[in-house]
Amino acid sequence: SLPESAGGQNWTPAEIGASFALASMVLVPMCTVGLPFLVRKVGVVAACLGCWTPAALVVPLFPRAVQFLLNSGWGRRSWPVMLVTFGGQMAFSQMLGTGFVAVQMILFDFAQGQPGANTLMATGTGWLTMAQGIGCAVAPPAIGMLATLGQRAEAQGWAWVSRALPFDVLAVGILVFCVTPLLLLPAGAVPDLRSGRSAGGATRVGE
């Protein structure tokens, strides 16, 4: 975390860990109660869109809101800064976390209706785990590189590039790789999982 003299919040590792722990604790009831309720009401694809589309908007706004408050004279421990920081972190975690759980629901329900369902589910789980592992490995150096580029561009007075560059790239990634494929799905390609049983015979969420 950047020091306050450089326009940052000077977060300690303990504070960063606490923010992630709080977001994770809230994510548990969101995935076990909130997501099933949402899927029963609007269907799994609409639930995914409802999670990821707001996330793509929150992600780039969050660092700019924090920086605006700091530049306006609020201290890093002031209640507006803490509210935006923890609120943004929690909103981001809930939306992306529930969105990825919904993707797993789509995958498993699709596999249930295919020959060799057990093999497909095992393979799909393996691919999901591998993708998560690659993301965890690539994210730290990628974020560090983007943050460095953004800070240098900001120092040189670039108009459209700032220290928020990692968040901007993440927002574009959510729109391109998460939201757009769902919008391009043909009608009926994914069971809506709202009631009864899915096409593959699996019990739908909430049952």
Side-chain angles (χ1 to χ4, degrees):
S1 180
L2 288 175
E4 292 184 75
S5 59
Q9 291 182 266
N10 197 28
W11 278 63
T12 65
E15 291 170 331
I16 296 173
S19 70
F20 279 101
L22 181 60
S24 298
M25 286 189 290
V26 178
L27 183 59
V28 173
M30 279 294 297
C31 287
T32 56
V33 179
L35 181 61
F37 174 81
L38 183 62
V39 170
R40 285 198 301 269
K41 293 297 183 182
V42 301
V44 66
V45 173
C48 285
L49 290 173
C51 293
W52 283 334
T53 304
L57 300 177
V58 170
V59 168
L61 290 177
F62 160 67
R64 291 172 171 85
V66 171
Q67 197 60 45
F68 172 79
L69 291 172
L70 293 174
N71 292 341
S72 299
W74 292 98
R76 77 181 187 95
R77 288 291 184 271
S78 64
W79 70 265
V81 173
M82 297 299 288
L83 179 63
V84 172
T85 299
F86 279 93
Q89 169 68 27
M90 290 184 62
F92 173 70
S93 297
Q94 306 326 304
M95 287 183 287
L96 285 192
T98 51
F100 282 114
V101 172
V103 167
Q104 291 179 316
M105 292 167 56
I106 294 175
L107 173 65
F108 293 154
D109 191 79
F110 173 78
Q112 286 284 342
Q114 306 300 316
N118 291 336
T119 300
L120 283 175
M121 290 178 67
T123 302
T125 301
W127 277 99
L128 284 174
T129 303
M130 183 186 70
Q132 291 172 346
I134 293 175
C136 290
V138 172
I143 291 173
M145 179 189 68
L146 292 171
T148 301
L149 291 174
Q151 291 167 23
R152 290 180 177 177
E154 185 178 276
Q156 295 175 6
W158 289 27
W160 298 103
V161 181
S162 68
R163 68 186 65 194
L165 181 61
F167 298 90
D168 296 339
V169 172
L170 179 58
V172 172
I174 293 172
L175 290 173
V176 172
F177 297 109
C178 298
V179 174
T180 302
L182 289 176
L183 293 176
L184 295 178
L185 280 175
V190 177
D192 64 14
L193 305 181
R194 277 180 281 192
S195 61
R197 289 182 171 271
S198 64
T203 302
R204 299 188 186 194
V205 64
E207 293 189 340

